[in-house]
């Protein structure tokens, strides 16, 4: 089937501006009614983010079978000199276009429809032997740790999150890639019945895809998160398993992974396919390379009352990753 793709200039307004500006007040106010009806109350900063009607805050699914696995021990090598974002802010301000029809506050409620058991991850392509692993078997095999990471969205906002999970490098070792494998290609679930964004946005080349080089994937920072804030991941944050790559813009950190393919071809991510001149393959955080439509020199720290702070090269993680990119300064959008 021929899929008509949106061109860069046809992107919806919410992609064209930092999100605070694009928030749809009417939808936010409607969601506020739900908040009043029950559940956790939004924190004061979340109310500051969303105005009068803060959306309802959804924590981890009540029947999540991994609740007993958390909290796990924090790895002191990955802490930051910044305050952890309140979980009520993190749980309510999300980018998850499978579930997001309007504002960043929509994802929480919509994502609750995603079934997260049974859940399997297929590993295929250039590996010794392709296989499928059940999420609970995978969790039993891996040793979990907590890492506090900075998160920087390409839309110039940031958060700080205590993730639980395991290094992507451990997953790569388990997959036994062949010598010629150069990249990893990650794929999110595809289900138009469950995800209104996939159903409505048929002009997008769903499912969500992202890619990394083998060197990036085996860098110690690359992390598969299965939990956060000492508990399983809430669905809107990518349960049951998502990537977090703290030195790259947030769109690289793909949620709800169902497939990992080892390949010698550079994968093309969903946003790269839609607007490659704005969302490149490398997407390393760099204050000096502006997005074509806004500056990346500073960022709005969510939950802080809107403070702007200077953005740091590689989001402050240069000591871990800068060596991966030496000599590549001429790659288009290498940062
Ligand atoms: N499958 C999927 N993964 C995704 C996205 C998405 O829309 N779908 N959004 C990305 C973007 S742009 C960001 S900033 C982060 C947001 O993660 P958070 O909602 O946990 O803050 O997820 C990334 N992973
Ligand atoms: Mo993002």
């Amino acid at each position: 089937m021929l899929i008509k793709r949106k061109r860069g200039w046809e992107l919806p307004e919410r992609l064209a501006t930092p999100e605070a500006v694009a928030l749809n007040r009417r939808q936010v106010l409607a969601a506020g009614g739900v908040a009043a009806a029950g559940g956790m109350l939004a924190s004061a900063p979340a109310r500051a983010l969303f105005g009068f009607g803060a959306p309802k805050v959804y924590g981890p699914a009540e029947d999540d079978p991994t609740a007993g696995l958390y909290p796990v021990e924090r790895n002191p090598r990955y802490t930051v000199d910044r305050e952890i974002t309140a979980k009520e802010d993190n749980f309510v301000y999300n980018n998850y276009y499978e579930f997001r029809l309007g504002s960043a506050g929509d994802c929480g409620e919509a994502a609750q429809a995603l079934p997260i058991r049974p859940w399997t991850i297929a590993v295929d392509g250039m590996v010794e032997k392709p296989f499928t692993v059940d999420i609970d078997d995978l969790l039993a095999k891996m040793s979990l740790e907590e890492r506090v990471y900075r998160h920087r969205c390409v839309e110039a906002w940031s958060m700080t999150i205590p993730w639980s999970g395991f290094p992507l490098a451990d997953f790569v070792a388990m997959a036994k890639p062949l010598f010629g494998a150069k990249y990893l290609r990650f794929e999110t679930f595809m289900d138009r019945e469950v995800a209104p964004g996939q159903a409505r946005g048929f002009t997008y080349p769903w499912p969500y895809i992202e890619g990394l080089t083998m060197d990036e994937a085996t860098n110690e920072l690359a992390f598969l998160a299965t939990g956060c804030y000492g508990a399983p991941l809430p669905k809107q944050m990518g349960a049951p398993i998502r990537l977090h790559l703290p030195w790259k813009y947030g769109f690289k950190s793909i949620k709800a992974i169902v497939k990992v393919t080892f390949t010698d071809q550079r994968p093309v991510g969903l946003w790269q396919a839609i607007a490659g001149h704005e969302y490149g393959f490398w997407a390393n955080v760099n204050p000096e390379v502006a997005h074509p439509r806004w500056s990346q020199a500073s960022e709005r720290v969510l939950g802080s009352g809107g403070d702007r702070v200077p953005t740091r090269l590689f989001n402050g993680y240069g000591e871990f990753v800068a060596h991966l990119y030496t000599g590549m300064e001429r790659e288009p959008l290498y940062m």
Side-chain angles (χ1 to χ4, degrees):
M1 193 176 84
L2 243 182
I3 295 174
K4 183 184 170 283
R5 292 186 181 173
K6 284 198 177 171
R7 318 296 288 254
W9 58 89
E10 294 176 310
L11 284 178
E13 178 66 13
R14 64 177 184 272
L15 287 178
T17 54
E19 297 182 29
V21 183
L23 283 180
N24 178 331
R25 280 197 69 84
R26 241 179 344 140
Q27 254 165 339
V28 167
L29 288 171
V34 180
M40 266 193 268
L41 274 183
S43 65
R47 269 179 274 133
L49 284 173
F50 287 98
F52 288 114
K56 181 176 167 184
V57 181
Y58 289 87
E62 269 164 34
D63 56 353
D64 192 304
T66 62
L69 292 179
Y70 308 97
V72 292
E73 205 176 315
R74 183 172 294 180
N75 185 335
R77 184 167 164 80
Y78 309 103
T79 48
V80 299
D81 56 349
R82 212 157 117 172
E83 241 179 271
I84 289 176
T85 306
K87 76 176 173 189
E88 292 78 7
D89 292 340
N90 221 318
F91 291 0
V92 90
Y93 196 91
N94 303 101
N95 263 342
Y96 202 168
Y97 283 92
E98 286 85 343
F99 295 106
R100 179 178 166 164
L101 295 178
S103 89
D106 295 349
C107 309
E109 186 170 5
Q112 302 314 305
L114 178 68
I116 57 170
R117 290 297 184 288
W119 191 276
T120 57
I121 301 156
V123 178
D124 67 6
M126 301 174 74
V127 290
E128 268 181 26
K129 191 166 179 277
F131 62 93
T132 296
V133 61
D134 179 83
I135 183 70
D136 294 306
D137 296 339
L138 179 65
L139 279 163
K141 265 190 207 133
M142 296 294 165
S143 93
L144 301 180
E145 62 182 67
E146 183 176 78
R147 296 183 177 190
V148 180
Y149 275 171
R150 282 189 289 271
H151 173 80
R152 170 61 156 80
C153 176
V154 72
E155 291 153 342
W157 55 263
S158 64
M159 294 195 195
T160 304
I161 307 145
W163 298 111
S164 307
F166 53 90
L168 177 58
D170 292 355
F171 186 89
V172 172
M174 186 188 78
K176 302 203 178 79
L178 299 178
F179 186 71
K182 293 200 181 83
Y183 300 96
L184 279 75
R185 176 188 182 277
F186 297 86
E187 191 173 315
T188 296
F189 79 91
M190 178 73 202
D191 188 343
R192 290 205 167 97
E193 307 265 299
V194 163
Q198 290 179 336
R200 195 180 74 166
F202 55 86
T203 51
Y204 280 11
W206 299 108
Y208 202 100
I209 303 292
E210 263 307 335
L212 291 175
T213 66
M214 281 286 268
D215 283 348
E216 291 175 326
T218 53
N219 182 274
E220 65 173 288
L221 288 183
F223 200 59
L224 278 168
T226 55
C228 62
Y229 297 89
L233 284 178
K235 291 184 179 184
Q236 67 275 21
M237 290 186 68
I241 185 164
R242 56 100 45 96
L243 260 186
H244 194 248
L245 308 160
W247 74 100
K248 290 183 181 285
Y249 290 120
F251 68 87
K252 298 291 294 185
S253 292
I254 184 171
K255 297 178 173 181
I257 297 163
V258 295
K259 188 153 110 175
V260 182
T261 304
F262 290 79
T263 168
D264 56 4
Q265 307 289 308
R266 184 184 287 183
V268 178
L270 175 97
W271 296 121
Q272 197 187 351
I274 295 171
H277 59 296
E278 304 191 346
Y279 309 103
F281 174 79
W282 298 107
N284 294 318
V285 176
N286 187 340
E288 288 176 10
V289 177
H291 182 280
R293 289 178 282 130
W294 59 83
S295 163
Q296 296 290 22
S298 70
E299 64 205 52
R300 191 167 56 94
V301 181
L302 290 192
S304 66
D307 289 358
R308 288 201 86 89
V309 300
T311 288
R312 294 162 69 183
L313 184 60
F314 297 114
N315 204 20
Y317 293 98
E319 60 174 309
F320 295 98
V321 296
H323 67 275
L324 295 174
Y325 308 101
T326 46
M328 288 174 48
E329 289 78 2
R330 288 177 165 276
E331 275 278 325
L333 286 174
Y334 100 105
M335 279 179 174

